[in-house]
């Protein structure tokens, strides 16, 4: 019993010493891995604004030059939801629903079928713009897309270029879907807050 008590006391002391060392504030004047920045010295902030974009996303899975390719096959080929399917995308974003309308950018990333009972996708993509003042800037969308709902909402979780510190949401609605080929055109309304 005394030996068990000594062992328990020894473990308690070791835990106490280690937790004290781990939680002690760092001393000294330099920090090697981080420092606080004054927001105004890092970026010319001005006033935060909200922008709205409407783009058409073309998911082309058929033909000689698909923009959406399967990289992981569904878990079960007989599944009605294609659960487990993952596609890498480089989809055109255009001004209008016709794929030949003005190219605004590319949706680059992937989506996967993430539900067993309905067609819901996990979307992870960057809208990489290629025109006007937003050329080279990106908006990052990450979220759940329940394909057969009339309107699906997903969060904007960040961005780059003119969209640094971006946050907001997108609303997706299917413009057209060819069930035979699998090709789809989806209208995305993007609402993004940025500086």
């Amino acid at each position: 019993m005394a030996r068990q008590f000594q062992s328990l006391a020894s473990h308690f002391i070791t835990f106490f010493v280690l937790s004290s060392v781990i939680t002690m504030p760092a001393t000294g004047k330099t920090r090697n891995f981080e420092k606080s920045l004054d927001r105004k010295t890092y970026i010319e902030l001005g006033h935060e604004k909200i922008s709205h974009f409407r783009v058409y996303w073309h998911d082309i899975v058929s033909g000689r030059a698909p923009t959406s390719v399967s990289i992981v096959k569904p878990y079960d080929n007989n599944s009605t939801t294609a659960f487990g399917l993952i596609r890498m995308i480089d989809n055109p974003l255009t001004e209008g629903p016709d794929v030949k309308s003005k190219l605004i950018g590319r949706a680059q990333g992937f989506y996967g079928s993430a539900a067993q009972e309905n067609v819901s996708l996990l979307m992870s993509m960057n809208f990489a713009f290629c025109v006007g003042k937003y050329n080279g800037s990106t908006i990052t969308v990450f979220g759940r897309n329940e394909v057969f709902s009339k309107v699906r909402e997903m969060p904007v979780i960040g961005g780059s270029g003119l969209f640094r510190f971006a946050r907001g949401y997108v609303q997706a609605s299917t413009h057209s879907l060819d069930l035979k080929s699998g090709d789809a055109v989806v209208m995305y309304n993007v609402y993004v807050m940025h500086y």
Side-chain angles (χ1 to χ4, degrees), residues 21-162:
V21 169
I22 290 170
T23 59
M24 278 186 204
T27 58
K29 295 182 180 179
T30 60
R31 294 184 286 197
N32 294 329
F33 69 95
E34 67 86 20
K35 67 178 180 176
S36 296
L37 294 174
D38 177 19
R39 291 174 73 176
K40 290 181 181 174
T41 61
Y42 180 66
I43 188 170
E44 293 271 335
L45 292 178
H47 293 289
E48 191 173 32
K49 56 186 169 260
I50 186 165
S51 295
H52 171 245
F53 302 92
R54 184 180 65 212
V55 296
Y56 289 85
W57 180 90
H58 299 268
D59 196 43
I60 304 165
V61 300
S62 67
R64 293 175 39 199
T67 62
S68 176
V69 296
S70 177
I71 58 173
V72 176
K73 299 290 183 195
Y75 173 74
D76 176 2
N77 286 332
N78 296 320
S79 168
T80 57
T81 67
F83 179 63
L85 170 74
I86 300 176
R87 290 186 172 278
M88 190 63 63
I89 63 170
D90 184 18
N91 290 346
L93 297 173
T94 62
E95 190 173 63
D98 186 336
V99 73
K100 295 176 184 167
S101 63
K102 182 178 179 181
L103 184 70
I104 303 297
R106 311 288 301 185
Q108 298 170 326
F110 63 91
Y111 62 81
S113 181
Q116 295 182 48
E117 296 181 8
N118 60 17
V119 182
S120 290
L121 305 175
L122 169 65
M123 308 288 293
S124 177
M125 61 187 165
N126 290 310
F127 285 5
F129 294 96
C130 65
V131 295
K133 70 178 183 177
Y134 298 112
N135 184 20
S137 297
T138 66
I139 292 172
T140 303
V141 176
F142 185 85
R144 180 176 184 261
N145 180 350
E146 192 171 341
V147 174
F148 292 112
S149 293
K150 185 174 180 178
V151 177
R152 291 88 69 189
E153 187 172 297
M154 292 167 276
V156 169
I157 62 168
S160 66
L162 292 179

Side-chain angles (χ1 to χ4, degrees), residues 162-181:
L162 292 179
F163 296 112
R164 289 180 188 147
F165 301 114
R167 64 190 191 285
Y169 65 98
V170 299
Q171 290 181 324
S173 55
T174 302
H175 176 76
S176 63
L177 172 63
D178 184 331
L179 291 174
K180 189 173 184 180
S181 70

Side-chain angles (χ1 to χ4, degrees), residues 7-28:
S7 176
L8 183 61
S10 173
H11 287 298
F12 177 78
I13 291 170
T14 302
F15 172 78
F16 179 77
V17 169
L18 286 175
S19 65
S20 297
V21 169
I22 290 170
T23 59
M24 278 186 204
T27 58

